[in-house]
Amino acid sequence: MDGKPYIAQRPRRADGRRNYDAILAAARKAFETDGAEASLEDIASQAGVAIGTLYRHFPTRASLVEAATRDGLADLVARAERLSGHPDPLEALAEWMGQAVRHFSIFRGLVGILARSMYDEGTPSHATCNAMHRGGAGLLRAAQAAGRVRPDLTPDELFDLLSGAAWVREQSTSGRDGSVRFLRLMLDGISTPGPTGGE
Amino acid sequence: MDGKPYIAQRPRRADGRRNYDAILAAARKAFETDGAEASLEDIASQAGVAIGTLYRHFPTRASLVEAATRDGLADLVARAERLSGHPDPLEALAEWMGQAVRHFSIFRGLVGILARSMYDEGTPSHATCNAMHRGGAGLLRAAQAAGRVRPDLTPDELFDLLSGAAWVREQSTSGRDGSVRFLRLMLDGISTPGPTGGE
DNA sequence: GGCTGTCCTGAGGTAGCCTCAGGATGTCAA
DNA sequence: TTGACATCCTGAGGCTACCTCAGGACAGCC
């Protein structure tokens, strides 16, 4: 329902493109310091633009978040593609998940948005999330086919684990980044006690 | 720093107690439907009280959340105490963690608040979080002493896993509750391949 | 019945969200 | 070069939520 979600597109006119890019740059910076709830009016003024201009290019906060994270997530999809022929499918999966966790937690609040986008079609990030889902699922299948990951694990469960790890990483404000260890424990939990399974 | 955080206390006067209780009841209901970001003005009006009265009893949102979740978390601490002599320490740990995940995710946004409270002393929930930390750590130590859980797992890591699971549960709006499976995979990851270790 | 400290009220200042009418200007064709 | 027009920009203003505070009400106690 709700038609298609609005996906921000780079404008045709030169001044429009300038502002679009400036807003995006300001948004990325603001999201990193203040999280996904950063003030849109601050972002607009940082970009040297009136609030109406921001809303013209990015009618919803979600569309701005989507545009600000688009490249990173596309990169993740490409990486899954590239890793799909890896000789060690468990290692490939592990590496990809590490990357994914990092991308999912570049700013506070992102994982929540992505997790919701995963199952909600009315969301700007839904398409990219789906692509990632497919990419991750492919790596998972390969690892399972090689007998390196327990066969009863579903892609949805993999993404639960992944976003859980990303959430933990997102929370860790100061030094303590629990996500590395989290991922490690997780992999120990899902991998079969094969060749190099248990540590 | 910042002195002691404000912990809401039940007032002395009868009318004050009435309002305090009404606000708490309205808050619990609102948090459950709207998450931790529920409108405080709505809560006040649902409680039949002016906004100033709400602020008198609960000067910050955090203090209201703390008061609304106090009993549940205290219950969790008590349960850890009770389980501490359990004949099967891994089972005790597993049961407690299941409970904890449920308590941590009774409404959207709670896990985040608790996770921050865990390490931030200037937070109303800090004391309770510490008590829980101790309780969980005790169960963990017992399971490790019995050789049922990998000895290199720290309590902090346990709480990362736990809050990750709670976050996943909190996110699952519709039917799909991934936290049960999450917890299972997690336990498989942290338990040693002992008597009943691997499934 | 009066005193006192606790408690309540709700107007109002602040901030952020988002819209929209009116004006400016880039682009392109002639 | 010029005119026309679609694209783009602006910022005032309505709305909601947060939070404070001065003034008033009243429960509890003597």
Side-chain angles (χ1 to χ4, degrees), chain B residues 11 13 19 50 52-53 56-57:
Chain B
R13 258 171 54 175
N19 288 336
T53 302
R56 172 176 180 79
H57 294 302

Side-chain angles (χ1 to χ4, degrees), chain A residues 11 13 19 50 52-53 57:
Chain A
R13 261 170 55 171
N19 288 335
T53 301
H57 294 302

Side-chain angles (χ1 to χ4, degrees), chain B residues 98-168:
Chain B
Q99 282 283 338
V101 167
R102 252 164 288 153
H103 269 102
F104 278 28
S105 56
I106 45 174
F107 54 79
R108 236 170 338 107
L110 216 209
V111 217
I113 293 170
L114 295 179
R116 247 161 288 141
S117 295
M118 196 72 83
Y119 303 104
D120 182 355
E121 294 179 17
T123 289
S125 305
H126 182 65
T128 317
C129 278
N130 255 5
M132 276 191 323
H133 195 279
R134 274 193 299 276
L139 293 175
L140 172 62
R141 256 197 312 276
Q144 285 172 324
R148 302 295 301 282
V149 166
R150 49 196 292 174
D152 60 342
L153 189 73
T154 69
D156 280 357
E157 289 164 3
L158 186 78
F159 272 91
D160 280 346
L161 293 170
L162 206 154
S163 43
W167 183 82
V168 165

Side-chain angles (χ1 to χ4, degrees), chain A residues 35-164:
Chain A
E37 302 302 312
S39 157
L40 297 180
E41 301 200 318
D42 275 1
I43 290 174
S45 89
Q46 280 298 316
V49 138
I51 183 66
T53 301
L54 185 148
Y55 276 98
R56 172 176 181 80
H57 294 302
F58 308 99
T60 64
R61 172 173 234 109
S63 69
L64 182 54
V65 169
E66 190 276 334
T69 57
R70 192 184 293 164
D71 291 356
L73 297 181
D75 187 65
L76 204 54
V77 174
R79 193 174 299 261
E81 194 84 20
R82 219 175 316 138
L83 283 167
S84 67
H86 197 284
D88 183 343
L90 180 59
E91 164 131 1
L93 181 65
E95 189 186 321
W96 186 78
M97 290 186 75
Q99 282 283 339
V101 167
R102 251 164 289 152
H103 269 102
F104 279 28
S105 56
I106 44 173
F107 55 78
R108 234 169 341 106
L110 217 210
V111 217
I113 293 171
L114 294 179
R116 247 161 288 140
S117 295
M118 196 73 82
Y119 303 105
D120 183 355
E121 295 179 16
T123 289
S125 305
H126 182 65
T128 316
C129 277
N130 255 6
M132 276 189 324
H133 195 278
R134 274 193 300 276
L139 293 175
L140 172 62
R141 257 196 313 276
Q144 285 172 322
R148 304 294 301 281
V149 166
R150 50 196 293 174
D152 61 340
L153 189 72
T154 69
D156 281 357
E157 288 164 4
L158 186 78
F159 273 90
D160 280 346
L161 292 170
L162 205 154
S163 42

Side-chain angles (χ1 to χ4, degrees), chain B residues 21-93:
Chain B
D21 293 342
I23 293 167
L24 221 40
R28 274 195 261 257
K29 193 175 295 180
F31 288 154
E32 252 165 65
T33 51
D34 303 335
E37 302 301 312
S39 156
L40 297 180
E41 300 199 318
D42 275 2
I43 290 173
S45 88
Q46 280 298 317
V49 140
I51 184 66
T53 302
L54 184 147
Y55 277 96
R56 172 176 180 79
H57 294 302
F58 308 98
T60 65
R61 182 181 290 274
S63 69
L64 181 54
V65 169
E66 190 277 333
T69 56
R70 191 184 294 164
D71 291 355
L73 297 181
D75 187 64
L76 204 54
V77 173
R79 194 174 299 260
E81 192 84 20
R82 221 174 313 136
L83 283 166
S84 69
H86 198 283
D88 183 344
L90 180 59
E91 162 132 5
L93 182 65

Side-chain angles (χ1 to χ4, degrees), chain B residues 170-182:
Chain B
E170 180 181 291
Q171 290 304 107
S172 46
T173 40
S174 50
R176 216 182 68 81
D177 173 9
S179 77
V180 176
R181 198 73 210 296
F182 192 112

